[in-house]
Amino acid sequence: MYKKILLTGLALSLTAPAFAEVTIGLPEDVDLLLVNGTEPEIDGGFFSSSSTAILPDGENQIVFRYVPSFKQGQEFEKMNSDVIVAKFTAENENLEFEFPKYRNIREAQRFNSNPDWKLVNESNQTIEMTQDKLVHEGMQIGRDYETEMIKFNAAGGAAAIATTNSAAYAAVTAAQASGQTVTVVPVAETATTNATPTQLPETTTATTEEEMLMFWYGKADDATKARFKAYVNSQ
C-alpha cells in the first residue's frame, strides 16, 4: 500500500505543470512604480527584510526610480532619479538590480545623465534590455504613472511595449482636457470610425477600447465632448 501511494505521488509530481515566472529582487534604493503598465506584484514588503517583484515569462516592461541614500553628517540625504522605463525578455529567471558604486549624493546625481545600471541573473549574466526615461514637465508630485505609460507606449519607442490602449488614451485625454491644452495620440482607424460616439452599429460588437471610449466620453462635460467630436471628425 505504501509503495502504491509513493508511486502515485511520484507520478503526480512528474505530470504537474510547472508555473515558471521571472522574479526581480528589490533593494532599498529601487522604487518600482509599474510592471507592464500596472502596479507591480510584490512578494514581501514593509515588514519583510527583502521584497521581490514577480513578473510573467517573456517580454516585460518595468518603470522605476533609483533612490539611493547617503549619510551627510548626522542625517541621510536621498537622491531621486528620473523615472526609468526598461524593456527586456526573460524566462524563468531570478534577476537582481546592479548599480554603480557611488560614494555620495553628488556622484549619484550623475545617474540621471548616464543611467548605467543592469539586471543580472543568478549566473551574473547581464540581461539585454532597452531603456528610456518617462519625462514629465512641471510638478512631479502626484503623478499618474499609469496614464503616462499609456501615452508612452502608444507613442512607440525603444522601450515601449505593444498596447491596445491607444483608444483608451485618447478618451482619457479628452476627459481630462477641460480647460487645458493637450496633445492627443491619434486613434487607429477601424470599421466603426464613422459611428456616433454614443452608439455603435447594431451589427458591430463593441471592443474593450470602444467600451472604454464610451465610458470616458460619458464622464466628460459638454465642452470636452465637443472638442473630442471635433478631433474625431478631423481624422
Side-chain angles (χ1 to χ4, degrees):
M1 180 67 179
Y2 174 78
K3 183 178 181 180
K4 182 178 180 180
I5 294 174
L6 180 62
L7 291 175
T8 302
L10 179 61
L12 289 173
S13 66
L14 292 175
T15 58
F19 296 98
E21 60 190 12
V22 176
T23 65
I24 304 179
L26 299 178
E28 292 183 355
D29 54 8
V30 169
D31 182 11
L32 185 63
L33 303 170
L34 297 175
V35 169
N36 299 326
T38 61
E39 291 187 10
E41 180 183 351
I42 304 296
D43 183 13
F46 185 78
F47 295 104
S48 176
S49 59
S50 62
S51 57
T52 303
I54 302 174
L55 290 70
D57 279 340
E59 183 181 74
N60 284 288
Q61 180 191 65
I62 59 174
V63 181
F64 72 95
R65 282 186 188 275
Y66 177 46
V67 289
S69 296
F70 301 92
K71 190 171 183 179
Q72 183 69 24
Q74 299 300 316
E75 299 180 351
F76 282 88
E77 290 184 316
K78 176 177 288 188
M79 194 278 288
N80 290 289
S81 77
D82 296 333
V83 178
I84 302 296
V85 181
K87 179 178 69 174
F88 63 93
T89 299
E91 301 280 343
N92 192 27
E93 292 193 273
N94 299 318
L95 308 178
E96 298 288 343
F97 283 94
E98 187 175 290
F99 294 93
K101 302 297 183 183
Y102 298 115
R103 294 175 297 179
N104 52 56
I105 195 167
R106 180 179 298 179
E107 288 187 359
Q109 287 171 342
R110 301 174 189 168
F111 181 84
N112 281 335
S113 58
N114 180 31
D116 181 18
W117 64 282
K118 301 175 183 177
L119 283 176
V120 297
N121 61 21
E122 292 177 299
S123 300
N124 204 34
Q125 296 175 320
T126 300
I127 301 300
E128 183 178 350
M129 66 179 178
T130 54
Q131 67 170 313
D132 205 338
K133 292 184 180 181
L134 185 62
V135 178
H136 179 80
E137 301 296 337
M139 295 291 291
Q140 300 289 309
I141 300 174
R143 292 177 60 176
D144 185 347
Y145 293 108
E146 292 190 21
T147 300
E148 289 184 41
M149 284 308 299
I150 292 174
K151 178 179 180 179
F152 179 93
N153 287 320
I161 58 175
T163 177
T164 59
N165 286 336
S166 295
Y169 168 66
V172 170
T173 304
Q176 295 178 338
S178 180
Q180 303 177 25
T181 300
V182 296
T183 301
V184 179
V185 176
V187 180
E189 295 184 2
T190 66
T192 61
T193 299
N194 295 324
T196 61
T198 55
Q199 183 178 2
L200 293 172
E202 293 183 359
T203 57
T204 303
T205 301
T207 65
T208 301
E209 291 84 356
E210 290 163 338
E211 290 172 352
M212 293 184 68
L213 193 64
M214 303 312 160
F215 172 80
W216 285 109
Y217 182 83
K219 293 284 187 182
D221 57 26
D222 291 341
T224 301
K225 289 179 180 178
R227 285 195 297 275
F228 188 67
K229 287 179 180 179
Y231 166 75
V232 172
N233 291 333
S234 69
Q235 301 305 301

